Amino acid sequence: MTGPEPVTLLYFAWVRERIGVQTEQVALAGPTTVGALLDDLAERSAGHAAALADRSRLRAAVNQDFVGWDHAVTSGDEVAIFPPVTGG
Amino acid sequence: MTGPEPVTLLYFAWVRERIGVQTEQVALAGPTTVGALLDDLAERSAGHAAALADRSRLRAAVNQDFVGWDHAVTSGDEVAIFPPVTGG
Amino acid sequence: MFRVSIQAEPFDLAEEHWALSTLGSDIGAVISFVGQVRDEVLELEHYPAMAIRQMEAVLADARARWPLKGATLIHRYGRLEVGAPIVLVLTASSHRQAAFEAAEFLMDWLKTRAPFWKRGADGWVEAKASDDAASARWGT
Amino acid sequence: MFRVSIQAEPFDLAEEHWALSTLGSDIGAVISFVGQVRDEVLELEHYPAMAIRQMEAVLADARARWPLKGATLIHRYGRLEVGAPIVLVLTASSHRQAAFEAAEFLMDWLKTRAPFWKRGADGWVEAKASDDAASARWGT
């Protein structure tokens, strides 16, 4: 029996640099929110903690759309965490 | 003894077509205004009268700057009469 | 570089753009507006001395209002086929907002103050009240 | 013609402009915005799938707001030298106001919503509050 599909995390810019990886996968215990997921991720390493400490400097996307911290995350989602964009 | 320099009139677009000439020169009896000058010009020919009848459809420039009908015209001026511009 | 030209010949957008985009390392935004002939062949008449004088004046006005690094105004005259470019406004600045606003200002102004007159198949083109309104928003 | 591209290579402004200016006899205005690298070499990182998805969405939004005949959005990534073009926004319409407004809207949006990040000599470039303010005026 396989478990539910994991969530794919993507990190960009200095979030990626501090965490040290571009992407990782995490299994969810159950439905959660982006904010709660970040609380969990912050405990993974000192790099995670440093990258995710100040939420005012972070933005999130779920399945490639911008979302707020209380947005639901479910099994199989693609969740991206990054600083405010600076393109254009 | 030569008289004072004449005023040079310039006509554009349908004003030019109705009057039948691009430019003409007129001697002034004395200082006048663009509006008064147009009243005099309208008596020169049926074409002048037709071209200059409806002042709401005309614009004027003196020495290459837009002016109103009460703007002074003096000897030697370049006075242009034309419809509202449609460039760009 | 600030330049005004009134000409019968077409202009080369890429060349004009290059001239502004390479002005210096502080250029961050270059905007071009090209107006082109719609739907019917046009003949453009103009008042050459007043046109050049007024176009230089409005360019000076734009420079006083926005921190431009460069700008180019080209207006064509004569017979112009459908699709032919009529007018080019190019602005270059460190920041996009200045370049956008200046380009819109210059175009609004050209529409209402540059002494050019278009004649199409049905005669002389009438001026549009919407152009006067667009120009009026700049408070000139 | 409506087109989005995310690419490492430079774009050819003249070619892209031509593609829109020749779309039909009802094109009256074609506007280009080119953003280019100022002052220091930049490295642009991006989130490819989200970038293309979001750029296509904003182009659809612009089409719903303005009567555009065509528009092109190109954003580059990778290492970009000083003076190198980063972004191209092109809009074509019958009337200049629609083309200008749509181009400004698209640029304001790209600045605040397109997932690209610039890194310069001193590290990651900080987002500007002025860009958020510019974007907010469109009510999105």
Side-chain angles (χ1 to χ4, degrees), chain B residues 31-47:
Chain B
T32 184
T33 65
V34 177
L37 179 60
L38 254 62
D39 291 339
D40 292 344
L41 289 168
E43 291 173 14
R44 291 203 147 200
S45 75

Side-chain angles (χ1 to χ4, degrees), chain A residues 5-79:
Chain A
E5 236 188 309
V7 164
T8 301
L9 278 303
L10 295 173
Y11 307 120
F12 294 96
W14 56 257
V15 178
R16 171 182 55 73
E17 289 178 338
R18 289 186 194 176
I19 291 179
V21 297
Q22 163 87 75
T23 181
E24 61 186 331
Q25 299 203 310
V26 298
L28 295 186
T32 185
T33 64
V34 178
L37 180 60
L38 254 62
D39 291 338
D40 292 345
L41 289 168
E43 291 173 15
R44 291 204 147 200
S45 75
H48 283 80
L52 304 176
D54 182 358
R55 218 162 273 184
S56 73
R57 299 185 63 208
L58 298 175
R59 299 293 181 270
V62 170
N63 299 331
Q64 304 161 13
D65 280 321
F66 284 97
V67 298
W69 302 119
D70 55 355
H71 189 87
V73 176
T74 58
S75 173
D77 279 350
E78 178 175 300
V79 178

Side-chain angles (χ1 to χ4, degrees), chain B residues 12-86:
Chain B
F12 294 96
W14 55 257
V15 178
R16 172 182 55 72
E17 288 178 339
R18 289 187 192 175
I19 291 180
V21 297
Q22 163 88 76
T23 181
E24 61 186 331
Q25 299 202 309
V26 297
L28 295 185
T32 184
T33 65
V34 177
L37 179 60
L38 254 62
D39 291 339
D40 292 344
L41 289 168
E43 291 173 14
R44 291 203 147 200
S45 75
H48 283 80
L52 305 177
D54 183 358
R55 218 161 275 183
S56 72
R57 301 185 62 209
L58 298 175
R59 299 292 181 269
V62 170
N63 299 330
Q64 303 161 14
D65 281 320
F66 284 97
V67 297
W69 302 119
D70 57 354
H71 189 86
V73 176
T74 57
S75 173
D77 280 350
E78 178 175 300
V79 179
I81 309 296
F82 44 75
V85 302
T86 56

